[in-house]
Amino acid sequence: MLVSAKEMLTKAKAGKYAVGQFNINNLEWTKSILLTAEELKSPVILGVSEGAGKYMTGYKTVAAMVKAMIEDLGITVPVALHLDHGSYEGAKACIEAGFSSIMFDGSHYPIEENIEKTKELVAICNEKGLSLEAEVGSIGGEEDGVIGKGECADPDECKAVADLGVTMLAAGIGNIHGKYPENWEGLSFETLDAIQAKTGDMPLVLHGGTGIPEDMIKKAISLGVAKINVNTECQLSFADATRKYIEAGKDLEGKGFDPRKLLAPGAEAIKATVKEKMELFGSVGKA
Ligand code: 13P
């Protein structure tokens, strides 16, 4: 069932668990994530970066594929199709294409401009019944070629953006996309606590879910995080399983070169990663 992320995140915040956002790159990714969510009776958010959207030939193709796949696979759990780190133009294109949820990442604009653009998108999303994620304080690491520093958001700015009526708020708390460096200082729970105190019931979003130690994930959920984004970890497990298949020479055995066989170990590896995360985030059985 394709739905906005509002209800699933309101329930997650109240129930002190988090819904996973898993980024999709192709059909295999999408199928693995949807089947795992259904098997575990977990709500799920499919994230699409602008780069991945382009790779899959455009947002309309992505929306059509996801909607048809939900129907053909008989998926009954709530699924949100969410633009990840959208630009202002990307947000409008995804609203048009039929996404059920949008992230507008205005964190690189001065706060006044971030507020102005977010406010405009809140009005459009409200009218269409879509959920909207806003961001304050950029997330570190690389996202589609854009490098962020991993700063900590200002709790007052978070409150100003939360008060615009967004559905969920991504706030930098020292988190980074991709692998964490050896000398990473960890999440700033002081910042998270201060943001939660100012934003109340607002579901908070933790980006850069790959490689955060389990105890930090659990603590972040206890402090108001209701959505956690995972991308790199699925990519790594897919690549690892594919490499092992090829290194074992299985692509040369029988019909092992058939893409349906060649990509199967990677697709299974994604299922295992998604399952592990849903169990850690506490969303199993919450659909
Ligand atoms: P990772 O790639 O670090 O898992 O982060 C994903 C993310 O935050 C997407 O917005």
Side-chain angles (χ1 to χ4, degrees), residues 145-161:
V146 181
I147 313 274
K149 288 194 306 291
E151 59 191 66
C152 284
D154 173 343
D156 289 317
E157 290 186 0
C158 290
K159 178 167 170 45
V161 173

Side-chain angles (χ1 to χ4, degrees), residues 21 23 84-85 143 176-178 207-210 229-233:
Q21 172 192 306
N23 284 50
D84 188 27
H85 289 283
E143 182 77 10
I176 300 176
H177 288 122
H207 281 247
T210 296
N229 294 5
V230 178
N231 180 23
T232 305
E233 206 158 328

